[in-house]
Amino acid sequence: EAVELDPDNAAHARGWAQAVGLDHLEVVTGDASVSGAYTGLPPVDVVVISGVFGHVDDTDRRALIAFLRKLCRPGASLAWTSNRANDGPAETVRQMLAEESFTEVDFEDLPGDTYAFTVARHRFTGTPEPFGDPERIFRFGSAFRRPRDDRRARARRRTARGAADHRRRRRRQRSAGARPRGVEDDDGHG
């Protein structure tokens, strides 16, 4: 089974599979990041993950790799790619796969700086796990999201609120005829 979100890409993949004689390959139009897209799928012999690991953060990489234990039969092959540019996640992915009972068979850095790809193959040596309730496995693009609790942004908001509050207090004091703290009248009263 292949899962592809874009209907045009899925149709192209169906046509290609038919043209090359892959009669047992089913192409499903669906969201590969949601476990429900794989409901009813028997354990598979081959999984290909290309163009995903570099676009998800470590939390989502770990969740995706753990989910593979639900997809793979014992001895299944996993082929995956990663981009080496900008400190790509290849070494992290290799470690995570080892922790989830995927034994490395091949690992190659392709030559060239233009694309800087890594291609790897692992074999699943663990015990398959059953599917649970449908869940989101990963969020494509999570590697590029800013943390919600960005401290600098919070400090800027706090500073801006504080300055605005100070200006409001000064305006209220002036309109009420009160003098701001530290300002004396002509008689020297503060």
Side-chain angles (χ1 to χ4, degrees), residues 1-174:
E1 179 172 298
V3 181
E4 170 57 46
L5 186 59
D6 183 270
D8 293 335
N9 287 345
H12 179 77
R14 281 186 207 96
W16 173 83
Q18 186 177 26
V20 298
L22 293 175
D23 301 327
H24 298 292
L25 178 63
E26 179 184 356
V27 179
V28 174
T29 302
D31 188 346
S33 70
V34 178
S35 65
Y38 307 94
T39 301
L41 180 69
V44 301
D45 294 311
V46 177
V47 174
V48 177
I49 300 176
S50 180
V52 176
F53 286 128
H55 294 274
V56 297
D57 62 19
D58 281 347
T59 300
D60 285 348
R61 286 182 196 117
R62 193 169 299 286
L64 174 55
I65 290 168
F67 181 73
L68 295 175
R69 297 176 61 91
K70 299 174 184 179
L71 288 179
C72 293
R73 69 160 184 79
S77 289
L78 165 66
W80 60 276
T81 65
S82 179
N83 189 307
R84 287 190 327 268
N86 301 318
D87 296 323
E91 293 306 316
T92 302
V93 171
R94 292 170 88 180
Q95 179 183 348
M96 289 178 180
L97 285 165
E99 292 168 3
E100 291 290 341
S101 301
F102 285 86
T103 302
E104 191 168 281
V105 177
D106 294 309
F107 181 86
E108 185 176 350
D109 279 329
L110 300 180
D113 293 330
T114 304
Y115 298 106
F117 275 104
T118 294
V119 178
R121 185 168 58 101
H122 286 68
R123 182 155 323 280
F124 180 51
T125 57
T127 303
E129 295 179 2
F131 276 85
D133 293 331
E135 62 182 324
R136 175 152 309 273
I137 306 163
F138 62 88
R139 294 192 188 285
F140 197 80
S142 62
F144 308 110
R145 292 199 177 108
R146 291 180 179 255
R148 289 184 191 157
D149 63 342
D150 177 49
R151 292 179 184 174
R152 285 180 292 193
R154 279 196 322 234
R156 282 192 301 270
R157 286 192 300 270
R158 247 191 335 267
T159 301
R161 278 194 305 267
D165 289 344
H166 178 73
R167 285 191 299 273
R168 278 193 292 277
R169 278 194 307 275
R170 297 266 316 224
R171 278 194 298 270
R172 278 196 304 266
Q173 289 171 346
R174 285 185 188 133

